[in-house]
């Protein structure tokens, strides 16, 4: 923030940042900054959505624009905006379906291979890394580690199942975003539009990188 202000001067600007970018210390610095007010709009990790879920359940949905509704939760001088986008629900659900299909297909292939215990662990580790958060939707059952070293090379069978309870929770959060801002008097539909500019900038960078190849 200081670098940008040194280069471009202090101005009444709104900092729009994706989740995970600003720390609590940076946000506190913004709130305490003197001169023109430093205003911000940031996405928050979905884990925070879970923490505030009980409070948000008490709030009514408001229609922000067609296909987008919001819940507002003022807290400690900030405004949390829970946004539900029908377009994003469809997109995220489709993406998750493809990822799960790929993950389950890969696990079935591993079941058909004659892998030893240690080789199987390595393959499962690679599958876990590739699956990311979706790995938490699968329960893996492995046999006890063989006591004898020679037995580690013998075929090891495992089973898995989809955690439908966790999948229901994940589906409930699809297309929902939790925004956090000190623009407490701004129309929530406008806040959502501002936040979407991040995806437009990201796509512009991707297009630019593609043109440079």
């Amino acid at each position: 923030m200081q670098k940008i202000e040194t280069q471009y001067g202090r101005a009444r600007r709104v900092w729009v940042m994706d989740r995970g970018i600003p720390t609590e210390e940076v946000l506190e610095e913004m709130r305490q900054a003197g001169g023109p007010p430093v205003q911000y709009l940031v996405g928050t990790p979905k884990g925070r959505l879970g923490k505030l879920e009980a409070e948000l359940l008490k709030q009514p949905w408001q229609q922000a624009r067609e296909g987008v509704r919001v819940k507002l939760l003022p807290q400690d001088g900030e405004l949390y905006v829970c946004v539900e986008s029908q377009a994003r629900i469809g997109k995220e659900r489709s993406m998750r379906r493809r990822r799960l299909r790929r993950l389950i297909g890969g696990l079935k292939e591993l079941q058909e291979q004659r892998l030893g215990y240690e080789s199987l662990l390595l393959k499962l580790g690679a599958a876990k890394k590739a699956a990311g958060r979706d790995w938490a939707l699968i329960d893996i059952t492995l046999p006890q580690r063989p006591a004898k070293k020679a037995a580690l090379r013998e075929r090891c069978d495992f089973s898995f199942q989809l955690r439908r309870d966790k999948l229901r929770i994940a589906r409930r959060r699809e297309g929902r975003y939790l925004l956090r801002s000190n623009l407490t008097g701004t129309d929530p539909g406008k806040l959502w539009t501002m936040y979407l500019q991040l995806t437009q900038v990201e796509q512009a960078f991707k297009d630019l990188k593609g043109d440079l190849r």
Side-chain angles (χ1 to χ4, degrees), residues 185-196:
T186 304
D187 175 67
K190 184 177 180 181
L191 292 177
W192 175 239
T193 300
M194 291 168 61
Y195 187 70
L196 284 180

Side-chain angles (χ1 to χ4, degrees), residues 69-144:
R69 59 179 187 167
V70 299
K71 286 188 175 189
L72 308 179
L73 180 63
Q75 195 172 88
D76 300 327
E78 294 181 307
L79 180 66
Y80 286 93
V81 184
C82 178
V83 183
E84 182 185 83
S85 166
Q86 290 299 318
R88 298 297 300 182
I89 288 176
K91 181 177 181 180
E92 291 183 16
R93 189 156 295 174
S94 176
M95 291 170 61
R96 186 187 300 279
R97 191 179 296 116
R98 288 197 300 270
R99 292 196 305 266
L100 276 176
R101 190 181 298 122
R102 184 165 57 246
L103 171 58
I104 291 173
L107 291 174
K108 287 181 177 179
E109 288 181 8
L110 284 181
Q111 286 180 321
E112 296 172 359
Q113 297 177 19
R114 304 184 64 85
L115 296 174
Y117 190 85
E118 291 186 336
S119 296
L120 177 60
L121 289 184
L122 289 174
K123 292 282 188 178
L124 288 175
K128 179 179 180 179
K129 183 177 180 181
R133 291 193 301 268
D134 292 323
W135 185 259
L137 304 177
I138 301 291
D139 258 354
I140 304 287
T141 302
L142 283 167
Q144 189 173 0

Side-chain angles (χ1 to χ4, degrees), residues 126-181:
K128 179 179 180 179
K129 183 177 180 181
R133 291 193 301 268
D134 292 323
W135 185 259
L137 304 177
I138 301 291
D139 258 354
I140 304 287
T141 302
L142 283 167
Q144 189 173 0
R145 181 184 177 88
K148 296 182 179 180
K149 189 173 182 179
L152 292 173
R153 295 190 294 271
E154 296 177 359
R155 176 172 178 171
C156 176
D157 294 319
F158 73 98
S159 62
F160 69 91
Q161 64 178 358
L162 179 64
R163 288 290 305 271
R164 298 188 180 278
D165 55 336
K166 290 188 175 182
L167 179 59
R168 282 193 293 270
I169 294 174
R171 285 171 65 90
R172 191 168 67 237
R173 294 177 180 173
E174 286 171 344
R176 291 188 180 182
Y177 297 80
L178 187 63
L179 308 183
R180 178 182 179 184
S181 179

Side-chain angles (χ1 to χ4, degrees), residues 29-75:
E29 180 185 347
M30 289 180 164
R31 288 191 289 269
Q32 299 300 328
V38 180
Q39 299 169 320
Y40 57 83
L41 170 65
V42 300
T44 63
K46 290 208 171 183
R48 197 176 187 93
L49 178 59
K51 293 178 181 178
L52 294 175
E53 200 163 26
E55 289 296 320
L56 287 167
L57 283 173
K58 303 174 186 176
Q59 310 304 320
W61 285 108
Q62 302 178 33
Q63 202 69 30
R65 66 184 195 192
E66 186 177 356
V68 177
R69 59 179 187 167
V70 299
K71 286 188 175 189
L72 308 179
L73 180 63
Q75 195 172 88

